[in-house]
Amino acid sequence: MSDSEKTTPTPAAPEKPRSTAEADITKYKDAAEVVNNAMKNLVESCVEGANVLDLCVEGDKLIEEGTSLIYNKSVKGVKVPKGLAFPTCISVNNCVAHFSPLASDPLSAQKLAKGDVVKVHLGAHIDGFAAITAETIVVGATPESPVTGRRADALRAAWTAAEVAMRLVRVGNKNWQVTEAVSKVAAEWGCKAVEGMLSCQQTQNVIDGKKRIILNPTEGQRRDFETVTFAEGEVYGIDILISSGEDGKARLEESRTTIYQRDHTVSVLEVQKKAGPFPFNVRVLDDEKRARMGLQEAVQHSLVKPYEVVYTPPNTFVAAFHFTIALLSGGPALLTHPPVWYKPELVRTEKEPEDEELKELLTRKLREGKKQKKKAATSE
């Protein structure tokens, strides 16, 4: 072969650097993997006789251990912050959310019983990008002995509402579309969304952003609540809470608040060091008694926000699912994992959705395939 016939090897194309957005989504997904592994362990541990406080402590430990194994390389000499994005909460039956007692609390001895409707809620973050999830299990339920009655109605309504919300939180839609659809789903099972519960936009170090969705609003809330449109590139934490009660109203009872979050404009040294901008449990602070007094004053001056423990009426049940979702160019993408426990064969209810619009919505895929998009573009 002559020199003129020799071929010069084509140089390999330089690797295209990932965009900041792609790197951020990866961090969300890596945090979600840690959360999913912790959830698997907690679901296995939610058995008859399990102590609620022990479960909460174990969940936090699993998140801290899971995040400690990844992202250990410093970036420009700075360690990547990571850890809990939401303390583990175990809320039972008519307790709506945020139950994570201290050892000194009277209710810290609470144990799970067969038939309890248990909401497990926790979150992790990598570099401030938080993946938060919640799901509901019923202690002792099996395919041979599934959940029935009002427990089943609330549970099935909550999961169906979550599936509907996943399909409505998409570019160009508005927050009220989600609000109305969740109410419509709940009604199919004779249930109500818990009044005034919020889902929020997320950004780095923020899980309670300005764009929000409200469930079952009061007249005043409906009048004053801002209408927002979902946009590409946004991330949301969607919180679906459904009560078997008549009106979805919840109230404070004897449970003490243990979870707080500092205002992002305020620096509280011990809180900043241990939790950063994310919610924290009082148990992580060094002096519990002193911390409680300081937090009460901080709440009065709006320096920290309490995550109150509220309840629907006795003999009602609340089921919840929380997921983190990103609005990408290809459509909505779930960042957190599907439920660990929930399966259709574990829940037996006599009711099924009858609303044709809801039924059609539930048949849609979360994201269109490439062929579907190409076909849609051609038809235009």
Side-chain angles (χ1 to χ4, degrees):
M1 181 183 291
S2 66
D3 289 343
S4 61
E5 292 175 307
K6 290 179 181 176
T7 57
T8 305
T10 305
E15 186 178 330
K16 184 180 178 182
R18 288 197 308 163
S19 69
T20 303
E22 287 176 327
D24 295 348
I25 291 297
T26 299
K27 289 172 184 174
Y28 277 118
K29 288 182 175 179
D30 290 340
E33 191 65 34
V34 171
V35 170
N36 189 53
N37 289 334
M39 182 65 82
K40 285 178 180 176
N41 278 278
L42 286 174
V43 167
E44 286 183 5
S45 300
C46 284
V47 296
E48 189 174 358
N51 177 271
V52 169
L53 171 59
D54 291 345
L55 291 170
C56 292
V57 170
E58 180 64 17
D60 289 357
K61 180 182 174 185
L62 289 167
I63 294 294
E64 296 290 2
E65 288 176 350
T67 53
S68 72
L69 299 175
I70 54 179
Y71 288 84
N72 290 319
K73 190 175 181 181
S74 297
V75 178
K76 296 181 181 179
V78 178
K79 289 183 178 179
V80 176
K82 54 192 176 170
L84 277 167
F86 205 96
T88 306
C89 302
I90 306 289
S91 307
V92 181
N93 293 331
N94 65 321
C95 179
V96 175
H98 309 147
F99 187 78
S100 188
L102 307 182
S104 60
D105 289 342
L107 296 178
S108 63
Q110 182 180 2
K111 295 182 185 297
L112 299 184
K114 187 174 181 180
D116 276 348
V117 177
V118 182
K119 281 80 67 184
V120 184
H121 184 186
L122 72 167
H125 79 93
I126 303 293
D127 197 21
F129 298 98
I132 300 174
T133 193
E135 67 172 277
T136 303
I137 74 168
V138 176
V139 177
T142 64
E144 295 74 33
S145 180
V147 188
T148 58
R150 294 301 281 158
R151 291 174 174 83
D153 290 341
L155 191 49
R156 180 76 186 281
W159 176 242
T160 305
E163 289 198 292
V164 165
M166 289 174 199
R167 288 158 174 79
L168 288 176
V169 180
R170 56 190 310 121
V171 175
N173 282 358
K174 298 188 185 302
N175 52 350
W176 290 113
Q177 291 174 258
V178 181
T179 301
E180 302 307 332
V182 170
S183 292
K184 195 182 288 188
V185 170
E188 295 277 329
W189 278 274
C191 296
K192 284 278 189 179
V194 178
E195 184 180 274
M197 293 293 115
L198 298 175
S199 297
C200 303
Q201 183 186 2
Q202 295 184 196
T203 53
Q204 188 177 24
N205 294 320
V206 176
I207 62 169
D208 52 353
K210 292 183 178 179
K211 284 190 173 184
R212 299 181 174 190
I213 302 162
I214 190 168
L215 299 184
N216 190 15
T218 63
E219 287 298 322
Q221 289 169 336
R222 183 176 290 277
R223 183 181 61 249
D224 299 335
F225 204 78
E226 184 181 355
T227 299
V228 299
T229 303
F230 306 125
E232 186 176 320
E234 294 176 343
V235 173
Y236 287 86
I238 304 299
D239 207 7
I240 303 296
L241 299 112
I242 303 294
S243 168
S244 65
E246 293 180 357
D247 55 16
K249 292 185 182 297
R251 64 187 187 280
L252 291 167
E253 288 191 1
E254 72 273 18
S255 296
R256 294 197 292 178
T257 300
T258 60
I259 297 175
Y260 296 85
Q261 181 182 8
R262 72 177 179 86
D263 184 282
H264 71 280
T265 62
V266 177
S267 177
V268 182
L269 192 58
E270 188 180 4
V271 171
Q272 174 68 24
K273 183 179 178 182
K274 295 192 175 182
F278 294 103
F280 62 92
N281 192 301
V282 176
R283 78 169 73 93
V284 306
L285 304 179
D286 294 332
D287 187 330
E288 178 192 319
K289 187 174 180 180
R290 184 180 172 192
R292 276 201 180 280
M293 291 176 61
L295 285 167
Q296 287 173 4
E297 185 176 349
V299 168
Q300 291 172 3
H301 291 86
S302 301
L303 302 178
V304 298
K305 175 176 72 175
Y307 283 82
E308 294 176 327
V309 185
V310 294
Y311 294 78
T312 55
N315 302 314
T316 61
F317 304 98
V318 174
F321 292 92
H322 186 116
F323 57 89
T324 308
I325 192 167
L327 306 187
L328 305 181
S329 57
L334 271 180
L335 300 177
T336 44
H337 292 247
V340 172
W341 183 87
Y342 185 90
K343 296 175 184 62
E345 60 268 26
L346 291 171
V347 182
R348 184 186 297 159
T349 174
E350 296 176 2
K351 303 179 178 76
E352 291 293 334
E354 294 181 0
D355 185 280
E356 292 301 325
E357 190 177 344
L358 287 176
K359 287 161 73 173
E360 189 277 327
L361 187 59
L362 289 165
T363 64
R364 296 184 203 169
K365 290 184 177 178
L366 196 57
R367 308 185 80 187
E368 290 182 0
K370 290 182 180 179
K371 288 183 179 179
Q372 288 175 301
K373 284 187 181 176
K374 189 174 180 180
K375 185 176 179 181
T378 305
S379 63
E380 289 173 1

